[in-house]
Amino acid sequence: MDAVPMSRNGTGNRNQDIGRYLRANRLKYVMIAVALLALAVLFIYSLYLGSTAVTLDQIFGNIFGDDGTWEGYVIHDIRLKRSVAALIAGCGLGVAGAMMQCVLRNPLGSPYTLGLSNAAAFGAALGIMVLGGGLVNGGAVASYRIDEPYIVAISAFAFSMLATAVIVAAMKFFGASPATMVLAGMAISSIFSAGIAFLQYQANEMALSAIVFWQFGDLEKISWAQMPIIFWAVLIPLVYIYLNRWSLNAIDQGDEVAQSLGVRVGRTRVTVLVLSAVMTSVIVSFVGIIGFIGLLAPHVARRLVGDDKNILIPASAVIGSMVLLIAMMVSQNAFGFVIPVGIITSMIGGPMFLWILFDSRTKKKKRIAEFVRRVRA
């Protein structure tokens, strides 16, 4: 739990310290409000942007259902669907990444780096090839399509949760350190990548194309009928996490401090990790692998509002939605042809991953230098 900073002059200036603390918090809430306004503008612009010209009147007239025209179909069944999916998926991935970094105490913790995405991809490939999720269409030119998306999604979800179970078991029963958890996630990712490669090697060219297509994170995959599934899978864990934000703040101060404040550290850490994994698993199961949102959004949010979970959780949700919405618009309009949004997020996330690594090393060196300077003084 974040403490109110104390002045060096003692309790006499405590009211001034509290005033500065409250003003700083108000400024952070203002920043979140501005980000929400920017997100709303981006959302409307995403419905406007595209090869089919539409007006604002047509956009607002077709939000709750198309009017039977071509423009209404484009707005409601194509643009609105993928924009809503971007909002929900970005929110869930952003919060999941922030929580994984919190409970693992590692800035590199995210659904992608912990191997959950590759585990889901292996499950999807297994569902397509073995469990009947794919179907060969006959005709002059044979083709392979995903005929049973729920089978593929359930299989992807199951293997993603299996990877989560391995990480939780290592944390709970073997006492693995946070750094070891990230390394374990990388090992899990490597194992499932090998499994995917094996299935791809065994697949015919049509099944192979279906597997590769699924792995590309693409917001076009989800239907309106599936949207409530990811909505509730994000909302319910998000509510629980936010209600326990003060416990998470206490855990940030150390397990001993949190226990002295009555926080059940082990149970809270495991529960938050599992709920974050559920959010990620359901999202990835329906839209494919969208990498680095869970890594990028929390770090941007932390730079803007600090590490207080009372503010960091909503900030990570808003920024995650914003980043994915921008990536979606870039993927749809920037190249003259449509590419999967997962490619854009990886293009952004790769350099970000390197920056976090080098920035963490730089900060550590500065802290060591400051400590040495104080000792010598």
PDB file of all heavy atoms in Angstrom, residues 39 43 81-95 219 222 224 226-235 238 279 282-283 287 293 317 320-322 324-325:
ATOM      1  N   LEU A  39      -9.267   7.695 -26.133  1.00  0.00           N
ATOM      2  CA  LEU A  39      -9.701   6.367 -26.567  1.00  0.00           C
ATOM      3  C   LEU A  39     -11.058   6.442 -27.269  1.00  0.00           C
ATOM      4  O   LEU A  39     -11.278   5.768 -28.285  1.00  0.00           O
ATOM      5  CB  LEU A  39      -9.774   5.435 -25.356  1.00  0.00           C
ATOM      6  CG  LEU A  39     -10.200   3.992 -25.627  1.00  0.00           C
ATOM      7  CD1 LEU A  39      -9.221   3.302 -26.573  1.00  0.00           C
ATOM      8  CD2 LEU A  39     -10.308   3.216 -24.321  1.00  0.00           C
ATOM      9  N   PHE A  43     -11.803   5.402 -31.075  1.00  0.00           N
ATOM     10  CA  PHE A  43     -12.823   4.398 -31.376  1.00  0.00           C
ATOM     11  C   PHE A  43     -13.747   4.884 -32.495  1.00  0.00           C
ATOM     12  O   PHE A  43     -14.026   4.145 -33.455  1.00  0.00           O
ATOM     13  CB  PHE A  43     -13.633   4.097 -30.110  1.00  0.00           C
ATOM     14  CG  PHE A  43     -14.692   3.058 -30.301  1.00  0.00           C
ATOM     15  CD1 PHE A  43     -14.366   1.717 -30.317  1.00  0.00           C
ATOM     16  CD2 PHE A  43     -16.019   3.417 -30.472  1.00  0.00           C
ATOM     17  CE1 PHE A  43     -15.340   0.743 -30.495  1.00  0.00           C
ATOM     18  CE2 PHE A  43     -17.006   2.462 -30.650  1.00  0.00           C
ATOM     19  CZ  PHE A  43     -16.657   1.121 -30.665  1.00  0.00           C
ATOM     20  N   LYS A  81     -17.333  -4.376 -35.006  1.00  0.00           N
ATOM     21  CA  LYS A  81     -17.002  -5.658 -34.365  1.00  0.00           C
ATOM     22  C   LYS A  81     -15.524  -5.733 -34.003  1.00  0.00           C
ATOM     23  O   LYS A  81     -15.171  -6.080 -32.869  1.00  0.00           O
ATOM     24  CB  LYS A  81     -17.387  -6.806 -35.294  1.00  0.00           C
ATOM     25  CG  LYS A  81     -17.040  -8.193 -34.758  1.00  0.00           C
ATOM     26  CD  LYS A  81     -17.635  -9.270 -35.626  1.00  0.00           C
ATOM     27  CE  LYS A  81     -16.994  -9.296 -37.001  1.00  0.00           C
ATOM     28  NZ  LYS A  81     -15.582  -9.771 -36.957  1.00  0.00           N
ATOM     29  N   ARG A  82     -14.671  -5.388 -34.952  1.00  0.00           N
ATOM     30  CA  ARG A  82     -13.240  -5.507 -34.644  1.00  0.00           C
ATOM     31  C   ARG A  82     -12.772  -4.406 -33.697  1.00  0.00           C
ATOM     32  O   ARG A  82     -11.844  -4.619 -32.896  1.00  0.00           O
ATOM     33  CB  ARG A  82     -12.426  -5.522 -35.937  1.00  0.00           C
ATOM     34  CG  ARG A  82     -12.388  -4.228 -36.707  1.00  0.00           C
ATOM     35  CD  ARG A  82     -11.741  -4.412 -38.050  1.00  0.00           C
ATOM     36  NE  ARG A  82     -11.723  -3.178 -38.811  1.00  0.00           N
ATOM     37  CZ  ARG A  82     -11.774  -3.117 -40.133  1.00  0.00           C
ATOM     38  NH1 ARG A  82     -11.853  -4.237 -40.853  1.00  0.00           N
ATOM     39  NH2 ARG A  82     -11.732  -1.956 -40.759  1.00  0.00           N
ATOM     40  N   SER A  83     -13.417  -3.220 -33.714  1.00  0.00           N
ATOM     41  CA  SER A  83     -13.033  -2.160 -32.786  1.00  0.00           C
ATOM     42  C   SER A  83     -13.435  -2.512 -31.355  1.00  0.00           C
ATOM     43  O   SER A  83     -12.676  -2.274 -30.407  1.00  0.00           O
ATOM     44  CB  SER A  83     -13.670  -0.831 -33.202  1.00  0.00           C
ATOM     45  OG  SER A  83     -13.157  -0.395 -34.443  1.00  0.00           O
ATOM     46  N   VAL A  84     -14.633  -3.084 -31.182  1.00  0.00           N
ATOM     47  CA  VAL A  84     -15.053  -3.533 -29.850  1.00  0.00           C
ATOM     48  C   VAL A  84     -14.134  -4.651 -29.359  1.00  0.00           C
ATOM     49  O   VAL A  84     -13.741  -4.684 -28.189  1.00  0.00           O
ATOM     50  CB  VAL A  84     -16.524  -3.995 -29.879  1.00  0.00           C
ATOM     51  CG1 VAL A  84     -16.902  -4.683 -28.571  1.00  0.00           C
ATOM     52  CG2 VAL A  84     -17.452  -2.818 -30.141  1.00  0.00           C
ATOM     53  N   ALA A  85     -13.784  -5.568 -30.261  1.00  0.00           N
ATOM     54  CA  ALA A  85     -12.857  -6.641 -29.896  1.00  0.00           C
ATOM     55  C   ALA A  85     -11.513  -6.070 -29.460  1.00  0.00           C
ATOM     56  O   ALA A  85     -10.888  -6.564 -28.513  1.00  0.00           O
ATOM     57  CB  ALA A  85     -12.682  -7.612 -31.061  1.00  0.00           C
ATOM     58  N   ALA A  86     -11.047  -5.015 -30.145  1.00  0.00           N
ATOM     59  CA  ALA A  86      -9.777  -4.384 -29.775  1.00  0.00           C
ATOM     60  C   ALA A  86      -9.860  -3.761 -28.388  1.00  0.00           C
ATOM     61  O   ALA A  86      -8.914  -3.870 -27.589  1.00  0.00           O
ATOM     62  CB  ALA A  86      -9.398  -3.323 -30.810  1.00  0.00           C
ATOM     63  N   LEU A  87     -10.985  -3.112 -28.074  1.00  0.00           N
ATOM     64  CA  LEU A  87     -11.148  -2.515 -26.752  1.00  0.00           C
ATOM     65  C   LEU A  87     -11.102  -3.574 -25.654  1.00  0.00           C
ATOM     66  O   LEU A  87     -10.385  -3.423 -24.654  1.00  0.00           O
ATOM     67  CB  LEU A  87     -12.479  -1.762 -26.677  1.00  0.00           C
ATOM     68  CG  LEU A  87     -12.632  -0.473 -27.473  1.00  0.00           C
ATOM     69  CD1 LEU A  87     -13.998   0.136 -27.225  1.00  0.00           C
ATOM     70  CD2 LEU A  87     -11.545   0.524 -27.119  1.00  0.00           C
ATOM     71  N   ILE A  88     -11.868  -4.659 -25.842  1.00  0.00           N
ATOM     72  CA  ILE A  88     -11.956  -5.687 -24.796  1.00  0.00           C
ATOM     73  C   ILE A  88     -10.627  -6.443 -24.667  1.00  0.00           C
ATOM     74  O   ILE A  88     -10.104  -6.627 -23.556  1.00  0.00           O
ATOM     75  CB  ILE A  88     -13.103  -6.659 -25.103  1.00  0.00           C
ATOM     76  CG1 ILE A  88     -14.445  -5.932 -25.127  1.00  0.00           C
ATOM     77  CG2 ILE A  88     -13.142  -7.781 -24.062  1.00  0.00           C
ATOM     78  CD1 ILE A  88     -15.604  -6.784 -25.596  1.00  0.00           C
ATOM     79  N   ALA A  89     -10.078  -6.874 -25.805  1.00  0.00           N
ATOM     80  CA  ALA A  89      -8.832  -7.644 -25.764  1.00  0.00           C
ATOM     81  C   ALA A  89      -7.680  -6.806 -25.244  1.00  0.00           C
ATOM     82  O   ALA A  89      -6.867  -7.272 -24.436  1.00  0.00           O
ATOM     83  CB  ALA A  89      -8.517  -8.194 -27.153  1.00  0.00           C
ATOM     84  N   GLY A  90      -7.578  -5.551 -25.689  1.00  0.00           N
ATOM     85  CA  GLY A  90      -6.501  -4.683 -25.211  1.00  0.00           C
ATOM     86  C   GLY A  90      -6.601  -4.425 -23.726  1.00  0.00           C
ATOM     87  O   GLY A  90      -5.594  -4.423 -23.010  1.00  0.00           O
ATOM     88  N   CYS A  91      -7.824  -4.212 -23.235  1.00  0.00           N
ATOM     89  CA  CYS A  91      -8.043  -4.015 -21.797  1.00  0.00           C
ATOM     90  C   CYS A  91      -7.596  -5.239 -21.008  1.00  0.00           C
ATOM     91  O   CYS A  91      -6.841  -5.131 -20.030  1.00  0.00           O
ATOM     92  CB  CYS A  91      -9.518  -3.718 -21.553  1.00  0.00           C
ATOM     93  SG  CYS A  91     -10.024  -3.748 -19.821  1.00  0.00           S
ATOM     94  N   GLY A  92      -8.046  -6.418 -21.436  1.00  0.00           N
ATOM     95  CA  GLY A  92      -7.699  -7.639 -20.713  1.00  0.00           C
ATOM     96  C   GLY A  92      -6.216  -7.931 -20.727  1.00  0.00           C
ATOM     97  O   GLY A  92      -5.627  -8.271 -19.690  1.00  0.00           O
ATOM     98  N   LEU A  93      -5.576  -7.791 -21.883  1.00  0.00           N
ATOM     99  CA  LEU A  93      -4.148  -8.077 -21.978  1.00  0.00           C
ATOM    100  C   LEU A  93      -3.321  -7.064 -21.193  1.00  0.00           C
ATOM    101  O   LEU A  93      -2.311  -7.421 -20.573  1.00  0.00           O
ATOM    102  CB  LEU A  93      -3.725  -8.093 -23.446  1.00  0.00           C
ATOM    103  CG  LEU A  93      -4.303  -9.229 -24.306  1.00  0.00           C
ATOM    104  CD1 LEU A  93      -3.942  -9.035 -25.771  1.00  0.00           C
ATOM    105  CD2 LEU A  93      -3.827 -10.587 -23.812  1.00  0.00           C
ATOM    106  N   GLY A  94      -3.749  -5.795 -21.205  1.00  0.00           N
ATOM    107  CA  GLY A  94      -3.018  -4.774 -20.445  1.00  0.00           C
ATOM    108  C   GLY A  94      -3.061  -5.037 -18.955  1.00  0.00           C
ATOM    109  O   GLY A  94      -2.031  -4.981 -18.269  1.00  0.00           O
ATOM    110  N   VAL A  95      -4.249  -5.329 -18.424  1.00  0.00           N
ATOM    111  CA  VAL A  95      -4.383  -5.599 -16.986  1.00  0.00           C
ATOM    112  C   VAL A  95      -3.682  -6.901 -16.615  1.00  0.00           C
ATOM    113  O   VAL A  95      -3.012  -6.993 -15.576  1.00  0.00           O
ATOM    114  CB  VAL A  95      -5.864  -5.643 -16.586  1.00  0.00           C
ATOM    115  CG1 VAL A  95      -6.021  -6.093 -15.140  1.00  0.00           C
ATOM    116  CG2 VAL A  95      -6.508  -4.276 -16.779  1.00  0.00           C
ATOM    117  N   LEU A 219      -8.256  -9.640 -35.228  1.00  0.00           N
ATOM    118  CA  LEU A 219      -9.532  -9.307 -34.600  1.00  0.00           C
ATOM    119  C   LEU A 219     -10.723  -9.634 -35.481  1.00  0.00           C
ATOM    120  O   LEU A 219     -11.871  -9.581 -35.022  1.00  0.00           O
ATOM    121  CB  LEU A 219      -9.547  -7.819 -34.227  1.00  0.00           C
ATOM    122  CG  LEU A 219      -8.461  -7.391 -33.233  1.00  0.00           C
ATOM    123  CD1 LEU A 219      -8.408  -5.877 -33.115  1.00  0.00           C
ATOM    124  CD2 LEU A 219      -8.692  -8.021 -31.871  1.00  0.00           C
ATOM    125  N   ILE A 222     -13.162 -13.081 -34.486  1.00  0.00           N
ATOM    126  CA  ILE A 222     -14.227 -13.211 -33.506  1.00  0.00           C
ATOM    127  C   ILE A 222     -15.557 -12.727 -34.089  1.00  0.00           C
ATOM    128  O   ILE A 222     -15.591 -11.791 -34.900  1.00  0.00           O
ATOM    129  CB  ILE A 222     -13.879 -12.430 -32.222  1.00  0.00           C
ATOM    130  CG1 ILE A 222     -14.813 -12.810 -31.088  1.00  0.00           C
ATOM    131  CG2 ILE A 222     -13.882 -10.937 -32.464  1.00  0.00           C
ATOM    132  CD1 ILE A 222     -14.342 -12.336 -29.740  1.00  0.00           C
ATOM    133  N   TRP A 224     -19.840 -11.627 -33.383  1.00  0.00           N
ATOM    134  CA  TRP A 224     -20.653 -10.974 -32.364  1.00  0.00           C
ATOM    135  C   TRP A 224     -21.169 -11.982 -31.338  1.00  0.00           C
ATOM    136  O   TRP A 224     -21.309 -11.658 -30.155  1.00  0.00           O
ATOM    137  CB  TRP A 224     -21.838 -10.256 -33.012  1.00  0.00           C
ATOM    138  CG  TRP A 224     -21.516  -8.913 -33.589  1.00  0.00           C
ATOM    139  CD1 TRP A 224     -21.627  -8.520 -34.893  1.00  0.00           C
ATOM    140  CD2 TRP A 224     -21.037  -7.757 -32.881  1.00  0.00           C
ATOM    141  NE1 TRP A 224     -21.248  -7.203 -35.051  1.00  0.00           N
ATOM    142  CE2 TRP A 224     -20.887  -6.711 -33.821  1.00  0.00           C
ATOM    143  CE3 TRP A 224     -20.728  -7.506 -31.553  1.00  0.00           C
ATOM    144  CZ2 TRP A 224     -20.442  -5.432 -33.471  1.00  0.00           C
ATOM    145  CZ3 TRP A 224     -20.272  -6.237 -31.195  1.00  0.00           C
ATOM    146  CH2 TRP A 224     -20.132  -5.223 -32.141  1.00  0.00           C
ATOM    147  N   GLN A 226     -19.599 -14.520 -30.190  1.00  0.00           N
ATOM    148  CA  GLN A 226     -18.520 -14.874 -29.275  1.00  0.00           C
ATOM    149  C   GLN A 226     -18.089 -13.710 -28.389  1.00  0.00           C
ATOM    150  O   GLN A 226     -17.411 -13.916 -27.380  1.00  0.00           O
ATOM    151  CB  GLN A 226     -17.320 -15.378 -30.080  1.00  0.00           C
ATOM    152  CG  GLN A 226     -17.600 -16.644 -30.862  1.00  0.00           C
ATOM    153  CD  GLN A 226     -16.554 -16.912 -31.933  1.00  0.00           C
ATOM    154  OE1 GLN A 226     -15.743 -16.038 -32.265  1.00  0.00           O
ATOM    155  NE2 GLN A 226     -16.566 -18.116 -32.495  1.00  0.00           N
ATOM    156  N   MET A 227     -18.483 -12.493 -28.755  1.00  0.00           N
ATOM    157  CA  MET A 227     -18.021 -11.308 -28.032  1.00  0.00           C
ATOM    158  C   MET A 227     -18.373 -11.337 -26.551  1.00  0.00           C
ATOM    159  O   MET A 227     -17.541 -10.955 -25.704  1.00  0.00           O
ATOM    160  CB  MET A 227     -18.582 -10.050 -28.695  1.00  0.00           C
ATOM    161  CG  MET A 227     -17.815  -8.785 -28.367  1.00  0.00           C
ATOM    162  SD  MET A 227     -16.231  -8.704 -29.268  1.00  0.00           S
ATOM    163  CE  MET A 227     -16.818  -8.373 -30.934  1.00  0.00           C
ATOM    164  N   PRO A 228     -19.600 -11.757 -26.149  1.00  0.00           N
ATOM    165  CA  PRO A 228     -19.897 -11.793 -24.707  1.00  0.00           C
ATOM    166  C   PRO A 228     -18.972 -12.708 -23.914  1.00  0.00           C
ATOM    167  O   PRO A 228     -18.740 -12.476 -22.721  1.00  0.00           O
ATOM    168  CB  PRO A 228     -21.354 -12.297 -24.658  1.00  0.00           C
ATOM    169  CG  PRO A 228     -21.928 -11.938 -25.984  1.00  0.00           C
ATOM    170  CD  PRO A 228     -20.798 -12.074 -26.952  1.00  0.00           C
ATOM    171  N   ILE A 229     -18.430 -13.739 -24.562  1.00  0.00           N
ATOM    172  CA  ILE A 229     -17.545 -14.664 -23.848  1.00  0.00           C
ATOM    173  C   ILE A 229     -16.293 -13.939 -23.387  1.00  0.00           C
ATOM    174  O   ILE A 229     -15.901 -14.007 -22.212  1.00  0.00           O
ATOM    175  CB  ILE A 229     -17.194 -15.872 -24.732  1.00  0.00           C
ATOM    176  CG1 ILE A 229     -18.460 -16.653 -25.104  1.00  0.00           C
ATOM    177  CG2 ILE A 229     -16.200 -16.787 -24.012  1.00  0.00           C
ATOM    178  CD1 ILE A 229     -18.205 -17.798 -26.067  1.00  0.00           C
ATOM    179  N   ILE A 230     -15.633 -13.231 -24.305  1.00  0.00           N
ATOM    180  CA  ILE A 230     -14.407 -12.531 -23.898  1.00  0.00           C
ATOM    181  C   ILE A 230     -14.742 -11.330 -23.016  1.00  0.00           C
ATOM    182  O   ILE A 230     -13.939 -10.956 -22.148  1.00  0.00           O
ATOM    183  CB  ILE A 230     -13.531 -12.129 -25.099  1.00  0.00           C
ATOM    184  CG1 ILE A 230     -14.206 -11.052 -25.944  1.00  0.00           C
ATOM    185  CG2 ILE A 230     -13.170 -13.317 -25.951  1.00  0.00           C
ATOM    186  CD1 ILE A 230     -13.248 -10.421 -26.949  1.00  0.00           C
ATOM    187  N   PHE A 231     -15.935 -10.735 -23.198  1.00  0.00           N
ATOM    188  CA  PHE A 231     -16.321  -9.600 -22.346  1.00  0.00           C
ATOM    189  C   PHE A 231     -16.402 -10.025 -20.885  1.00  0.00           C
ATOM    190  O   PHE A 231     -15.799  -9.395 -20.003  1.00  0.00           O
ATOM    191  CB  PHE A 231     -17.666  -9.032 -22.819  1.00  0.00           C
ATOM    192  CG  PHE A 231     -18.210  -7.961 -21.911  1.00  0.00           C
ATOM    193  CD1 PHE A 231     -17.702  -6.679 -21.958  1.00  0.00           C
ATOM    194  CD2 PHE A 231     -19.223  -8.241 -20.990  1.00  0.00           C
ATOM    195  CE1 PHE A 231     -18.196  -5.679 -21.108  1.00  0.00           C
ATOM    196  CE2 PHE A 231     -19.720  -7.268 -20.147  1.00  0.00           C
ATOM    197  CZ  PHE A 231     -19.201  -5.983 -20.209  1.00  0.00           C
ATOM    198  N   TRP A 232     -17.135 -11.104 -20.597  1.00  0.00           N
ATOM    199  CA  TRP A 232     -17.272 -11.555 -19.212  1.00  0.00           C
ATOM    200  C   TRP A 232     -15.972 -12.153 -18.688  1.00  0.00           C
ATOM    201  O   TRP A 232     -15.669 -12.038 -17.486  1.00  0.00           O
ATOM    202  CB  TRP A 232     -18.411 -12.559 -19.094  1.00  0.00           C
ATOM    203  CG  TRP A 232     -19.755 -11.935 -19.292  1.00  0.00           C
ATOM    204  CD1 TRP A 232     -20.594 -12.104 -20.340  1.00  0.00           C
ATOM    205  CD2 TRP A 232     -20.392 -10.993 -18.415  1.00  0.00           C
ATOM    206  NE1 TRP A 232     -21.727 -11.340 -20.186  1.00  0.00           N
ATOM    207  CE2 TRP A 232     -21.641 -10.651 -19.004  1.00  0.00           C
ATOM    208  CE3 TRP A 232     -20.052 -10.429 -17.193  1.00  0.00           C
ATOM    209  CZ2 TRP A 232     -22.523  -9.761 -18.416  1.00  0.00           C
ATOM    210  CZ3 TRP A 232     -20.932  -9.533 -16.587  1.00  0.00           C
ATOM    211  CH2 TRP A 232     -22.150  -9.212 -17.204  1.00  0.00           C
ATOM    212  N   ALA A 233     -15.195 -12.785 -19.574  1.00  0.00           N
ATOM    213  CA  ALA A 233     -13.917 -13.356 -19.146  1.00  0.00           C
ATOM    214  C   ALA A 233     -12.920 -12.271 -18.756  1.00  0.00           C
ATOM    215  O   ALA A 233     -11.978 -12.530 -17.998  1.00  0.00           O
ATOM    216  CB  ALA A 233     -13.325 -14.217 -20.266  1.00  0.00           C
ATOM    217  N   VAL A 234     -13.109 -11.063 -19.252  1.00  0.00           N
ATOM    218  CA  VAL A 234     -12.272  -9.932 -18.857  1.00  0.00           C
ATOM    219  C   VAL A 234     -12.885  -9.189 -17.665  1.00  0.00           C
ATOM    220  O   VAL A 234     -12.183  -8.846 -16.714  1.00  0.00           O
ATOM    221  CB  VAL A 234     -12.061  -8.965 -20.049  1.00  0.00           C
ATOM    222  CG1 VAL A 234     -11.415  -7.658 -19.588  1.00  0.00           C
ATOM    223  CG2 VAL A 234     -11.200  -9.618 -21.119  1.00  0.00           C
ATOM    224  N   LEU A 235     -14.195  -8.960 -17.703  1.00  0.00           N
ATOM    225  CA  LEU A 235     -14.834  -8.128 -16.680  1.00  0.00           C
ATOM    226  C   LEU A 235     -14.778  -8.757 -15.290  1.00  0.00           C
ATOM    227  O   LEU A 235     -14.421  -8.081 -14.307  1.00  0.00           O
ATOM    228  CB  LEU A 235     -16.291  -7.871 -17.063  1.00  0.00           C
ATOM    229  CG  LEU A 235     -17.086  -7.005 -16.073  1.00  0.00           C
ATOM    230  CD1 LEU A 235     -16.472  -5.618 -15.959  1.00  0.00           C
ATOM    231  CD2 LEU A 235     -18.549  -6.921 -16.464  1.00  0.00           C
ATOM    232  N   LEU A 238     -11.331  -8.713 -13.792  1.00  0.00           N
ATOM    233  CA  LEU A 238     -10.939  -7.321 -13.595  1.00  0.00           C
ATOM    234  C   LEU A 238     -11.570  -6.740 -12.340  1.00  0.00           C
ATOM    235  O   LEU A 238     -10.912  -6.023 -11.568  1.00  0.00           O
ATOM    236  CB  LEU A 238     -11.340  -6.499 -14.821  1.00  0.00           C
ATOM    237  CG  LEU A 238     -10.997  -5.000 -14.812  1.00  0.00           C
ATOM    238  CD1 LEU A 238      -9.505  -4.795 -14.618  1.00  0.00           C
ATOM    239  CD2 LEU A 238     -11.465  -4.346 -16.101  1.00  0.00           C
ATOM    240  N   MET A 279      -8.040 -14.498 -18.287  1.00  0.00           N
ATOM    241  CA  MET A 279      -8.311 -13.410 -19.224  1.00  0.00           C
ATOM    242  C   MET A 279      -7.530 -13.599 -20.515  1.00  0.00           C
ATOM    243  O   MET A 279      -8.074 -13.534 -21.619  1.00  0.00           O
ATOM    244  CB  MET A 279      -7.949 -12.056 -18.599  1.00  0.00           C
ATOM    245  CG  MET A 279      -8.944 -11.534 -17.611  1.00  0.00           C
ATOM    246  SD  MET A 279      -8.712  -9.756 -17.261  1.00  0.00           S
ATOM    247  CE  MET A 279      -7.194  -9.779 -16.320  1.00  0.00           C
ATOM    248  N   VAL A 282      -8.620 -16.823 -22.687  1.00  0.00           N
ATOM    249  CA  VAL A 282      -9.872 -16.681 -23.437  1.00  0.00           C
ATOM    250  C   VAL A 282      -9.680 -15.747 -24.626  1.00  0.00           C
ATOM    251  O   VAL A 282     -10.146 -16.028 -25.743  1.00  0.00           O
ATOM    252  CB  VAL A 282     -10.997 -16.169 -22.511  1.00  0.00           C
ATOM    253  CG1 VAL A 282     -12.250 -15.855 -23.321  1.00  0.00           C
ATOM    254  CG2 VAL A 282     -11.311 -17.203 -21.452  1.00  0.00           C
ATOM    255  N   ILE A 283      -8.970 -14.639 -24.415  1.00  0.00           N
ATOM    256  CA  ILE A 283      -8.736 -13.693 -25.512  1.00  0.00           C
ATOM    257  C   ILE A 283      -7.960 -14.354 -26.634  1.00  0.00           C
ATOM    258  O   ILE A 283      -8.347 -14.296 -27.815  1.00  0.00           O
ATOM    259  CB  ILE A 283      -7.991 -12.449 -24.989  1.00  0.00           C
ATOM    260  CG1 ILE A 283      -8.901 -11.641 -24.063  1.00  0.00           C
ATOM    261  CG2 ILE A 283      -7.509 -11.578 -26.146  1.00  0.00           C
ATOM    262  CD1 ILE A 283      -8.172 -10.565 -23.284  1.00  0.00           C
ATOM    263  N   VAL A 287      -8.972 -14.828 -30.681  1.00  0.00           N
ATOM    264  CA  VAL A 287      -8.397 -13.888 -31.656  1.00  0.00           C
ATOM    265  C   VAL A 287      -6.983 -14.257 -32.077  1.00  0.00           C
ATOM    266  O   VAL A 287      -6.407 -13.592 -32.943  1.00  0.00           O
ATOM    267  CB  VAL A 287      -8.424 -12.442 -31.116  1.00  0.00           C
ATOM    268  CG1 VAL A 287      -9.833 -12.016 -30.771  1.00  0.00           C
ATOM    269  CG2 VAL A 287      -7.503 -12.270 -29.917  1.00  0.00           C
ATOM    270  N   ILE A 293       1.223  -6.715 -25.935  1.00  0.00           N
ATOM    271  CA  ILE A 293       0.325  -5.735 -25.325  1.00  0.00           C
ATOM    272  C   ILE A 293       0.448  -5.803 -23.806  1.00  0.00           C
ATOM    273  O   ILE A 293       0.501  -4.780 -23.115  1.00  0.00           O
ATOM    274  CB  ILE A 293      -1.132  -5.977 -25.751  1.00  0.00           C
ATOM    275  CG1 ILE A 293      -1.304  -5.758 -27.250  1.00  0.00           C
ATOM    276  CG2 ILE A 293      -2.083  -5.064 -24.970  1.00  0.00           C
ATOM    277  CD1 ILE A 293      -1.132  -4.346 -27.703  1.00  0.00           C
ATOM    278  N   ALA A 317      -5.573  -0.775 -18.310  1.00  0.00           N
ATOM    279  CA  ALA A 317      -6.721  -1.179 -19.130  1.00  0.00           C
ATOM    280  C   ALA A 317      -6.932  -0.205 -20.281  1.00  0.00           C
ATOM    281  O   ALA A 317      -7.105  -0.613 -21.442  1.00  0.00           O
ATOM    282  CB  ALA A 317      -7.969  -1.257 -18.269  1.00  0.00           C
ATOM    283  N   GLY A 320      -3.876  -0.314 -22.752  1.00  0.00           N
ATOM    284  CA  GLY A 320      -3.906  -1.549 -23.522  1.00  0.00           C
ATOM    285  C   GLY A 320      -4.914  -1.475 -24.653  1.00  0.00           C
ATOM    286  O   GLY A 320      -4.629  -1.854 -25.801  1.00  0.00           O
ATOM    287  N   SER A 321      -6.124  -0.967 -24.356  1.00  0.00           N
ATOM    288  CA  SER A 321      -7.144  -0.803 -25.394  1.00  0.00           C
ATOM    289  C   SER A 321      -6.688   0.182 -26.457  1.00  0.00           C
ATOM    290  O   SER A 321      -6.886  -0.038 -27.659  1.00  0.00           O
ATOM    291  CB  SER A 321      -8.457  -0.313 -24.759  1.00  0.00           C
ATOM    292  OG  SER A 321      -8.992  -1.284 -23.899  1.00  0.00           O
ATOM    293  N   MET A 322      -6.053   1.258 -26.026  1.00  0.00           N
ATOM    294  CA  MET A 322      -5.611   2.278 -26.969  1.00  0.00           C
ATOM    295  C   MET A 322      -4.525   1.749 -27.904  1.00  0.00           C
ATOM    296  O   MET A 322      -4.576   1.957 -29.126  1.00  0.00           O
ATOM    297  CB  MET A 322      -5.098   3.497 -26.188  1.00  0.00           C
ATOM    298  CG  MET A 322      -4.802   4.710 -27.062  1.00  0.00           C
ATOM    299  SD  MET A 322      -4.211   6.113 -26.069  1.00  0.00           S
ATOM    300  CE  MET A 322      -5.639   6.403 -25.034  1.00  0.00           C
ATOM    301  N   LEU A 324      -3.868  -1.386 -28.750  1.00  0.00           N
ATOM    302  CA  LEU A 324      -4.392  -2.391 -29.678  1.00  0.00           C
ATOM    303  C   LEU A 324      -5.294  -1.749 -30.732  1.00  0.00           C
ATOM    304  O   LEU A 324      -5.288  -2.172 -31.896  1.00  0.00           O
ATOM    305  CB  LEU A 324      -5.155  -3.471 -28.913  1.00  0.00           C
ATOM    306  CG  LEU A 324      -5.596  -4.682 -29.745  1.00  0.00           C
ATOM    307  CD1 LEU A 324      -4.440  -5.278 -30.534  1.00  0.00           C
ATOM    308  CD2 LEU A 324      -6.226  -5.748 -28.854  1.00  0.00           C
ATOM    309  N   LEU A 325      -6.051  -0.732 -30.364  1.00  0.00           N
ATOM    310  CA  LEU A 325      -6.898  -0.047 -31.335  1.00  0.00           C
ATOM    311  C   LEU A 325      -6.052   0.662 -32.382  1.00  0.00           C
ATOM    312  O   LEU A 325      -6.349   0.607 -33.588  1.00  0.00           O
ATOM    313  CB  LEU A 325      -7.801   0.950 -30.614  1.00  0.00           C
ATOM    314  CG  LEU A 325      -9.004   1.496 -31.386  1.00  0.00           C
ATOM    315  CD1 LEU A 325      -9.939   0.375 -31.811  1.00  0.00           C
ATOM    316  CD2 LEU A 325      -9.760   2.518 -30.540  1.00  0.00           C
TER     317      LEU A 325
END
